[in-house]
Amino acid sequence: MNNKRYYPTAFALYFSFFIHGIGASILSQYKTNFAKAWGAGQLADGSYDVSRVVTVIAALGLGRLLAHFVAGPFSDRYGRKLSGLIGVGLYVIFFAGIILSPNMAAAYCFAILGGAANSFLDTCVSPTCMEIFVNNGSIANMFTKFSMCVSQFLLPFFILFVGNAGLPYTTLFIICGAAILADGLLILLLPFPEREKKGGNGVKTKQERMKFTPVSIAAILIGFTSSSTFMLWLNCNKELGQLYGMTSPSLIQSYYAAGTAVAIIVTAFLIKKGLGEKTVLILYPAVSTVMLLLCYWIRTPQICIIGGFVIGYAGAGGVLQLAVATTIQFFPENKATATSFVMIASSVANYTILSLAGYLTRIGGSEGPRMILLLNAGVTFLGVMLAVFIKGMEKRQKAR
C-alpha cells in the first residue's frame, strides 16, 4: 500500500539522511581547522598534526557501534518515530558540541553522540520507508544511500561557498544543526504508518536459535571489509590530494559521491538483469583494490579524481547493502538480527580502522596518506577473499 498520505513523512526521513551524509564526512573536510582549535602541534613542513582529528572521527564509529545494540530493539518496541526523534536530537547536540569543544576530549564525547544519532536514524528511516513503499521496499531503502550521496556530492561546493563568502568554518555545522532540528519537528508532526503486530509466528521467530556457519560469518565480516574501504577513503582522501598537489582536494569528495550514486542505479539494474549478488561482492572490492594500489604508485592529481569516482562506485556503491542481503539469506527467520550483525561489523570497522589510520598518520607524517592506501588495499582484498569463499561454498552445496 503505497499510501500517499505518508509521502511527506518519507521526504522528511530522506532529508535526515541528507544531513547525515554531511555529518558523516564534514569533519574530514575541516581537519586542519579543528586540529588548530584543539591545540594540535605542527609538523616539520608547518602543517598541523591532524591525527587527533582522525581519532575523533573514529569515535563516530564507536558511538554507532554502541548504540546499535540498543537502537534496533528500542525502535521495534517504542516505535520508529521516537527512534528518529532521538537520532535528530543527538545530531543537533553533535553539530553544536563539535564546534564548541575546547579540546579533543570534549570533541570525542560529542562524536560518540553523533555516531549514536546515526544508529537511531538507521532504525527509524530504513524500516519506515520500506513500510511506506511496501511494494518497492528495496528501492525505498536504496534511496537512503542515494540521499547521502547527494549531500556528499554537494558538500565541497558548500565548503567553497562558505570559504568564498569569508564565513567561519563553523558555518555549515550551524546550518546543518538548524536544518535537522527543523526536520525533527516535521518528523514529530507527520504521520507514520502503523506496523503490523504478529502473534504466534513472531514468537517462534524470536525463540529460534541462529546457527552460525563459516559461510555466514564470512558474509558478516564483509560488513567490516566493505565499510573499511569507503570509510578510509572518505576520511583520508583530502590529505592524499594535498600530497599529490591538488589545488582543490575537496573536489575528490564530489567525484566519490557521483560514483556512488551511479553505482546504486547501475548495480540495481545489473542485479535485476541477472548478475549475481555474490559476483558483485567479488568484482567490486577487486576493482577497489586495484584502484587503491594505482593511487599509491601514481602520484598525480588526476589519479585522485579517478580514484574518487572508482572507489565511490566500487567501494561505496552497494557492497555493504549486498552484504546485508547475503547475510539475511542464512538467517531467513531473523532478518533484523542478521542485519544488525552486519552493521555492527561495519561500526567496528569505522572505529578500529580509522583509529589505525590515525596512528599511521601520526607515524607517517606527510607520507601518512600513502600508508593508509596500503592499509585500505589490504583490508579490501580480504573482502574479495571472503566473497570468493562464500561463492565457492555455494557452488559446492549446489553440486551435492
Side-chain angles (χ1 to χ4, degrees), residues 343-364:
M343 299 312 294
I344 287 171
S346 171
S347 300
V348 170
N350 196 336
Y351 179 70
T352 59
I353 291 295
L354 285 180
S355 295
L356 183 55
Y359 172 75
L360 292 177
T361 301
R362 189 161 53 250
I363 67 172

Side-chain angles (χ1 to χ4, degrees), residues 328-395:
I328 285 175
Q329 294 175 7
F330 300 110
F331 307 104
E333 300 300 324
N334 298 276
K335 293 182 176 64
T337 305
T339 302
S340 296
F341 279 127
V342 178
M343 299 312 294
I344 287 171
S346 171
S347 300
V348 170
N350 196 336
Y351 179 70
T352 59
I353 291 295
L354 285 180
S355 295
L356 183 55
Y359 172 75
L360 292 177
T361 301
R362 189 161 53 250
I363 67 172
S366 60
E367 286 293 306
R370 296 184 75 233
M371 296 175 65
I372 292 172
L373 284 175
L374 290 180
L375 169 66
N376 201 352
V379 177
T380 303
F381 184 69
L382 175 60
V384 177
M385 294 295 97
L386 290 169
V388 168
F389 172 72
I390 293 170
K391 189 164 185 178
M393 293 299 293
E394 182 183 60
K395 287 184 177 179

Side-chain angles (χ1 to χ4, degrees), residues 264-283:
I264 291 172
I265 298 171
V266 173
T267 305
F269 174 80
L270 292 176
I271 289 177
K272 189 173 181 180
K273 291 295 183 179
L275 182 65
E277 294 177 355
K278 296 175 184 65
T279 300
V280 177
L281 289 177
I282 296 172
L283 180 61

Side-chain angles (χ1 to χ4, degrees), residues 37-114:
W38 297 337
Q42 289 182 285
L43 301 174
D45 61 358
S47 62
Y48 282 91
D49 178 9
V50 299
S51 60
R52 62 178 60 193
V53 183
V54 176
T55 302
V56 170
I57 294 172
L60 288 166
L62 177 61
R64 183 171 175 241
L65 169 62
L66 296 175
H68 259 304
F69 291 99
V70 178
F74 182 93
S75 178
D76 286 335
R77 183 171 183 179
Y78 297 106
R80 314 296 190 212
K81 176 178 285 194
L82 188 54
S83 179
L85 290 174
I86 291 175
V88 166
L90 290 175
Y91 249 133
V92 172
I93 295 173
F94 164 73
F95 284 121
I98 283 292
I99 61 176
L100 295 175
S101 295
N103 51 52
M104 173 186 164
Y108 195 89
C109 295
F110 285 115
I112 288 177
L113 293 181

